[in-house]
């Protein structure tokens, strides 16, 4: 399964509030108490090399959101913070694609985000990175560019809820299993992609983390 975390970087929440969702403005003013969690279907996976991102027709703008993904290595439930890092097998870089108008409408009506986040190809994902190669997950910088122009660059140290806290809170609710993916949220700079674009993302200074996808329109 894919467990995703929303609103985990303050500057991204602020940019979403500027788009016009009063729910995001309220989130900023009240401050987060627990992580915002949602599930994405595994049918949304698009491993690198398995074709372009195919955008559905007639759903409005689709935005890129680069995220650090946590790959779980063992079945676990109610993990204490002192053991949280032990259940991690490694990491990956992923895009949490979002049908933005549909998400804004869902927020305003208090509806879940399954539709705006769950289309096929809405989780482009890179290669597995062993955790030994990322000894400090809060010490990496993520980037995302479209057609060679950088749009997102953000540091994982700025997460509101850091990796151990996320694992604690998630495993209070869901049993995690080996191979499950946690998407940890996106920094600011999200924006639309369209047919003909080339999207590239990764961890700064780690070539093996990089992903690149062409974008096309689904027929």
């Amino acid at each position: 399964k894919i467990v995703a975390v929303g609103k985990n970087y303050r500057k991204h929440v602020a940019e979403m509030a500027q788009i016009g969702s009063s729910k995001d403005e309220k989130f900023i003013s009240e401050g987060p108490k627990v992580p915002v969690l949602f599930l994405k279907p595994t049918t949304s996976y698009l491993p690198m090399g398995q074709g372009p991102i195919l955008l559905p027709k007639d759903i409005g703008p689709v935005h890129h959101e680069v995220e650090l993904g946590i790959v779980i290595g063992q079945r676990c439930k109610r993990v204490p913070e002192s053991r949280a890092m032990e259940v991690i097998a490694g990491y990956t870089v992923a895009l949490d694609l979002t049908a933005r108008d549909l998400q804004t409408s869902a927020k305003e009506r208090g509806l879940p985000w399954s539709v705006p986040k769950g289309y096929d190809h809405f989780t482009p994902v890179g290669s597995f990175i062993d955790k030994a190669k990322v000894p400090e997950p809060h010490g990496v910088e993520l980037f995302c560019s479209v057609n060679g122009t950088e749009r997102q660059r953000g540091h994982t140290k700025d997460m509101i809820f850091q990796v151990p806290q996320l694992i604690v809170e998630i495993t209070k609710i869901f049993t995690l299993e080996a191979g499950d993916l946690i998407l940890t949220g996106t920094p600011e700079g999200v924006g639309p992609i369209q047919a003909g674009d080339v999207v590239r993302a990764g961890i700064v200074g780690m070539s093996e983390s990089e992903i690149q996808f062409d974008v096309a329109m689904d027929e």
Side-chain angles (χ1 to χ4, degrees):
K1 58 185 167 291
I2 304 169
V3 183
V5 181
K7 304 184 181 183
N8 203 28
Y9 288 79
R10 293 185 190 279
K11 289 183 180 179
H12 172 59
V13 180
E15 72 179 350
M16 289 297 94
Q18 291 176 357
I19 288 176
S21 174
S22 60
K23 301 291 185 181
D24 289 316
E25 294 175 359
K26 184 177 180 182
F27 184 87
I28 293 171
S29 64
E30 292 182 349
K33 306 296 189 297
V34 293
V36 175
L37 304 178
F38 58 95
L39 297 175
K40 298 189 69 168
T42 54
T43 48
S44 69
Y45 273 133
L46 179 63
M48 190 168 62
Q50 293 191 15
I53 296 167
L54 295 179
L55 300 178
K57 293 181 179 179
D58 303 322
I59 63 168
V62 174
H63 283 199
H64 58 79
E65 298 186 2
V66 63
E67 310 208 5
L68 179 68
I70 304 168
V71 181
I72 298 299
Q74 59 186 266
R75 184 180 175 88
C76 56
K77 176 75 172 176
R78 298 189 186 92
V79 179
E81 190 165 338
S82 61
R83 288 194 55 246
M85 302 303 287
E86 298 174 16
V87 306
I88 297 172
Y91 301 92
T92 192
V93 170
L95 296 173
D96 175 23
L97 298 184
T98 306
R100 189 63 71 199
D101 288 353
L102 297 183
Q103 187 196 33
T104 300
S105 175
K107 286 179 181 178
E108 290 299 327
R109 293 186 291 161
L111 298 176
W113 298 356
S114 302
V115 172
K117 297 279 194 176
Y119 285 91
D120 291 355
H121 292 195
F122 268 33
T123 312
V125 66
S127 302
F128 173 79
I129 305 166
D130 189 274
K131 67 179 180 181
K133 295 183 178 180
V134 187
E136 176 47 78
H138 307 111
V140 301
E141 196 170 22
L142 301 172
F143 76 90
C144 180
S145 67
V146 179
N147 302 328
T149 300
E150 187 172 283
R151 291 188 179 178
Q152 288 187 270
R153 182 175 286 250
H155 205 288
T156 54
K157 67 179 174 57
D158 294 325
M159 289 182 187
I160 297 172
F161 296 96
Q162 295 196 327
V163 170
Q165 295 171 288
L166 292 176
I167 291 173
V168 169
E169 294 300 326
I170 290 168
T171 60
K172 287 178 182 177
I173 305 164
F174 308 119
T175 294
L176 293 177
E177 300 174 301
D180 284 351
L181 178 67
I182 299 172
L183 298 179
T184 57
T186 192
E188 75 275 14
V190 303
I193 56 174
Q194 59 188 1
D197 286 347
V198 178
V199 184
R200 180 171 162 264
I203 295 171
V204 175
M206 183 179 287
S207 59
E208 67 191 277
S209 74
E210 294 185 10
I211 58 176
Q212 180 171 305
F213 291 89
D214 294 335
V215 183
M217 187 62 68
D218 198 3
E219 296 299 331

